[in-house]
Amino acid sequence: MKSKRRYSVLSVLLAGFIATSVFGVGLSLYVGLGTAYENTRNLWVMLADIDLTSVQRTMHERMDEVEQRSDWVAEQVASGALDPSFQYGWTSTMRALAAADMGVMAYGLVTGEREFIGFNPEDMSDIRRTLPENDMLFSELAHIRGPISNRTGYPRWDPYFDRTVLTSWVPLFYDGQYLGTFIQYLSLSNLSESLIRGREDLPGTPFVLIGGNRVMAHPGLRNWGEKTTTELVNGNNIARSPIPLPTIHDIGDPVLANIGKSESIRLDPDDERHNSGIRLSGLEYNDRYHLIVTRQVQTAPISPVVIGMYFDQELFDDEWDRLVLASVLGGAVFILSVIVAIVLSRHFTKPIRRFASAARAFEDEDIASIDVPQLKGSRIREYDDAARSFNHMMMAVHDRERITSLFGKFVPQSIAKKLLASGNDSGVLPPQTSEATVLFVDIVGFTSMCESLDPKQIIAMLNDYFDCATHIIERHGGIITQFQGDAILAVYNVFDDLKNHADAAVDSAIALQAEVEKRKFEGLELKVRCGVNTGPMVAGNVGAKARLSFTVHGDAVNTASRLEQENKVLGTQILISETTRNLLADPDRVAKAGDVLLRGRHTTTELFTTRPDK
């Protein structure tokens, strides 16, 4: 064979990928550095998405903590472990709750006289106030007649706290008696300020809407609240607390007031934010275009909440033109890189595909019976060496499997594999003593059958029957050690560690009986008898040095043969010894067949047979 110049796969791949990478990265840097400083649109949308996600997660976590705390207090009161009328115990429990990060402004007990007796968790100062008569809490409590789960009130601007608040409450009952209401005031201003905090000098205006048009968070909300509270106090109308949240038209933000007129912007289906719930829309107002980023929180405990942020489009106009150019050039580079990568990969992975094809041939076929595929050489040094080694290995595996297959036709497959793996040519396995189960199977009336049938038909019938029985026995983990005329001797848990070997032998006998009953063998109907016994036995090779046979010895083996014969006396098809029955996972699957004095025994042996329904 003519020698060919070969190349290292490492040098070829490195040369190809370095060339394409340097070209691609260099061109990307050339185009990208010029636009990096003004590429802000995607950045701000991404930051807005991160901010909105963070607020949504914080809102869920905060509400979950509040609800769990309310349910815990209600459970303690209902069980009698906590009594609101016991001031010392109640106060101690309330102070203990503040040890954790509660995330609430105030919490405590509302009495039947509308008095709120609570605490500020920051400094554990006492809070006492009388709730207004028109507080929605009392209208809901008026319809409650027994314990309920935690409830969440609609957000309001509360002039007492000078914040947007959300109430979480649960009525407390003990033995059917109403004892008060445990209430927690959650500051939605603090919660939503995470959108505003740190963004004073940054572009973009954040907001949180509830109920479609009510403003729950906005940079101008505090000024509105202070102004509204002052007007109510001066007008002696403070009893109208809490105050409903302002609408989008009350806050003094023209973009927010006209958000319903915005037009939706379709996201790229490949954008990661496409499935995150984020929505983009645009609003043309006073000859200025605004980009609006929103996310709707459907799982909020109150009316669906919309959190969002909007930007002036002037931030992105110049960057957009450069981004289009960069996208076109980047796309061209990407397509070129993909084409080059495909060409190189197809060329240099061809040997690998050959390896895979050759390996699949051994997966899909019987290794011992197929022709061994030969891999072609390659100019790549490593591929060429691997192909040679693979060819040698496959020939060795093929020969070994062929020997195992042929050897297994004369001895059990598991024994053949152990002999081949023993590392010597003696053909001897060390004798092994173990507790195992023996299955002895014999054909009923075989002697008379031989007198009336042609010898060729008998052999064909036996081969067909033995093939069926072997498949059933080996499927249940058994090893056939001998074919004695028409009889089969199979053992379970010899050399191979087989758990539940007693069940495996009984299952084999039942399956064999069922198979023999429903089919014919070379046109002949057969009946078989089975004997199953468990006990100690010795397994190993016996015979001359030049000719050995694997077999098992012991009284347990002889007993299984005698049990098979006793089927004639008891009129059964399967007989099982007491030792086997005691090892069954379900001993009730067999029934007593009788007490028999077996040959060579001085006492009777209790025998069992399978139940028809088992």
Side-chain angles (χ1 to χ4, degrees):
M1 178 179 177
K2 185 178 178 180
S3 176
K4 298 180 181 180
R5 186 175 180 181
R6 303 191 303 173
Y7 305 94
S8 168
V9 64
L10 180 61
S11 62
V12 172
L13 292 179
L14 281 179
F17 287 118
I18 287 176
T20 55
S21 298
V22 168
F23 176 77
V25 172
L27 184 60
S28 298
L29 288 176
Y30 175 78
V31 176
L33 287 176
T35 61
Y37 294 102
E38 298 182 21
N39 189 11
T40 56
R41 172 171 178 162
N42 285 343
L43 173 63
W44 291 118
V45 172
M46 179 186 68
L47 292 178
D49 186 23
I50 294 175
D51 288 342
L52 300 183
T53 302
S54 176
V55 169
Q56 181 178 349
R57 181 172 57 251
T58 302
M59 183 181 299
H60 280 298
E61 292 175 352
R62 188 71 55 80
M63 292 307 302
D64 287 344
E65 293 174 0
V66 170
E67 291 176 3
Q68 291 174 8
R69 191 179 302 118
S70 294
D71 292 339
W72 180 84
V73 171
E75 291 173 0
Q76 295 296 308
V77 172
S79 65
L82 182 62
D83 185 0
S85 63
F86 180 43
Q87 185 175 0
Y88 176 77
W90 175 262
T91 302
S92 299
T93 302
M94 294 297 103
R95 293 182 181 277
L97 290 178
D101 181 16
M102 299 184 66
V104 297
M105 293 187 307
Y107 66 101
L109 184 70
V110 175
T111 66
E113 292 75 26
R114 294 188 289 110
E115 184 179 10
F116 171 70
I117 305 173
F119 304 90
N120 183 342
E122 292 185 359
D123 55 9
M124 288 311 298
S125 57
D126 294 338
I127 299 177
R128 289 182 177 269
R129 61 179 292 210
T130 300
L131 300 183
E133 294 181 359
N134 61 347
D135 195 302
M136 294 180 61
L137 171 65
F138 298 105
S139 62
E140 293 191 46
L141 285 173
H143 302 286
I144 295 175
R145 297 294 182 267
I148 62 172
S149 58
N150 174 79
R151 296 291 179 88
T152 301
Y154 199 82
R156 292 289 188 272
W157 179 273
D158 195 322
Y160 180 86
F161 295 107
D162 196 24
R163 295 175 185 271
T164 306
V165 299
L166 183 71
T167 57
S168 175
W169 55 270
V170 62
L172 305 179
F173 284 87
Y174 175 71
D175 198 19
Q177 181 179 2
Y178 174 70
L179 303 180
T181 301
F182 178 70
I183 187 170
Q184 301 176 80
Y185 288 91
L186 176 66
S187 172
L188 291 182
S189 299
N190 289 342
L191 183 65
S192 58
E193 278 177 5
S194 59
L195 268 176
I196 304 172
R197 190 182 304 114
R199 301 189 57 90
E200 291 81 1
D201 299 326
L202 298 177
T205 303
F207 58 88
V208 179
L209 303 180
I210 185 172
N213 67 342
R214 294 285 178 175
V215 182
M216 198 163 69
H218 187 275
L221 182 61
R222 180 171 291 276
N223 294 333
W224 175 89
E226 293 174 352
K227 177 182 177 182
T228 302
T229 303
T230 301
E231 292 175 353
L232 290 175
V233 171
N234 293 338
N236 296 321
N237 195 23
I238 191 62
R240 192 173 175 260
S241 170
I243 305 167
L245 294 176
T247 67
I248 55 177
H249 304 284
D250 300 331
I251 205 68
D253 187 332
V255 175
L256 200 61
N258 291 276
I259 194 172
K261 300 178 181 180
S262 61
E263 298 181 356
S264 177
I265 300 175
R266 186 176 181 181
L267 280 171
D268 186 348
D270 297 329
D271 195 318
E272 294 181 357
R273 296 181 293 270
H274 184 71
N275 298 320
S276 66
I278 193 172
R279 296 291 182 270
L280 295 183
S281 59
L283 175 65
E284 187 79 31
Y285 181 77
N286 285 345
D287 298 327
R288 297 174 66 87
Y289 189 79
H290 301 274
L291 178 68
I292 305 173
V293 184
T294 59
R295 182 195 298 273
Q296 186 168 5
V297 184
Q298 297 284 4
T299 58
I302 49 180
S303 176
V305 175
V306 175
I307 53 181
M309 189 175 298
Y310 67 84
F311 303 91
D312 194 316
Q313 183 65 20
E314 289 183 358
L315 289 169
F316 317 119
D317 289 340
D318 294 337
E319 181 273 339
W320 183 256
D321 296 335
R322 294 182 176 87
L323 186 60
V324 170
L325 176 61
S327 299
V328 172
L329 294 177
V333 172
F334 174 75
I335 293 174
L336 181 61
S337 300
V338 169
I339 294 174
V340 173
I342 291 175
V343 173
L344 288 176
S345 63
R346 287 185 62 85
H347 178 72
F348 290 107
T349 60
K350 187 179 295 183
I352 297 177
R353 294 197 298 272
R354 291 173 183 165
F355 276 106
S357 178
R360 282 195 296 270
F362 286 99
E363 278 185 35
D364 301 334
E365 303 291 344
D366 183 2
I367 298 178
S369 62
I370 66 172
D371 293 331
V372 180
Q374 293 293 304
L375 296 178
K376 297 179 180 180
S378 173
R379 290 181 180 271
I380 306 300
R381 183 187 305 117
E382 288 81 356
Y383 286 163
D384 191 62
D385 292 340
R388 295 174 185 270
S389 299
F390 182 84
N391 290 337
H392 288 302
M393 180 185 68
M394 288 298 99
M395 287 298 299
V397 172
H398 176 269
D399 292 341
R400 183 182 181 88
E401 289 298 322
R402 186 166 178 269
I403 292 172
T404 303
S405 178
L406 292 174
F407 196 18
K409 294 181 182 297
F410 299 93
V411 296
Q413 283 277 356
S414 59
I415 305 302
K417 292 181 180 180
K418 288 182 180 293
L419 289 172
L420 290 174
S422 63
N424 60 69
D425 298 329
S426 65
V428 175
L429 291 176
Q432 181 172 322
T433 301
S434 60
E435 182 181 60
T437 300
V438 181
L439 170 63
F440 196 89
V441 186
D442 198 7
I443 298 176
V444 177
F446 180 74
T447 302
S448 59
M449 190 182 302
C450 291
E451 295 175 354
S452 58
L453 296 177
D454 181 78
K456 292 183 179 180
Q457 188 178 7
I458 293 175
I459 296 299
M461 178 272 292
L462 284 177
N463 287 336
D464 190 16
Y465 162 68
F466 285 153
D467 184 66
C468 170
T470 300
H471 176 73
I472 293 174
I473 291 171
E474 291 184 348
R475 187 180 67 200
H476 289 86
I479 298 175
I480 297 178
T481 62
Q482 293 179 22
F483 291 107
Q484 302 173 354
D486 64 312
I488 299 175
L489 176 61
V491 292
Y492 298 77
N493 199 40
V494 173
F495 284 111
D496 293 330
D497 186 14
L498 180 63
K499 295 182 179 179
N500 301 323
H501 52 88
D503 284 283
V506 173
D507 291 339
S508 298
I510 295 174
L512 182 57
Q513 290 284 356
E515 187 69 18
V516 169
E517 184 176 344
K518 71 180 183 180
R519 61 169 288 187
K520 294 182 180 181
F521 299 90
E522 292 297 321
L524 298 175
E525 294 183 356
L526 300 181
K527 291 185 178 181
V528 296
R529 296 187 296 262
C530 302
V532 184
N533 182 45
T534 302
M537 61 190 69
V538 177
N541 299 101
V542 295
K545 291 183 178 180
R547 188 177 184 84
L548 297 172
S549 175
F550 174 80
T551 187
V552 290
H553 298 279
D555 183 63
V557 180
N558 299 330
T559 301
S561 175
R562 293 166 186 163
L563 293 183
E564 181 272 322
Q565 292 293 323
E566 288 297 330
N567 281 292
K568 302 177 184 179
V569 179
L570 298 178
T572 55
Q573 293 179 324
I574 302 174
L575 281 180
I576 303 165
S577 69
E578 184 178 7
T579 56
T580 301
R581 184 253 185 191
N582 293 338
L583 291 178
L584 294 177
D586 179 16
D588 292 335
R589 66 183 298 193
V590 298
K592 185 175 180 179
D595 295 317
V596 177
L597 181 64
L598 298 178
R599 181 163 54 87
R601 301 288 178 87
H602 300 290
T603 59
T604 59
T605 301
E606 189 174 12
L607 302 183
F608 299 85
T609 189
T610 55
R611 296 178 183 270
D613 58 339
K614 294 291 184 178

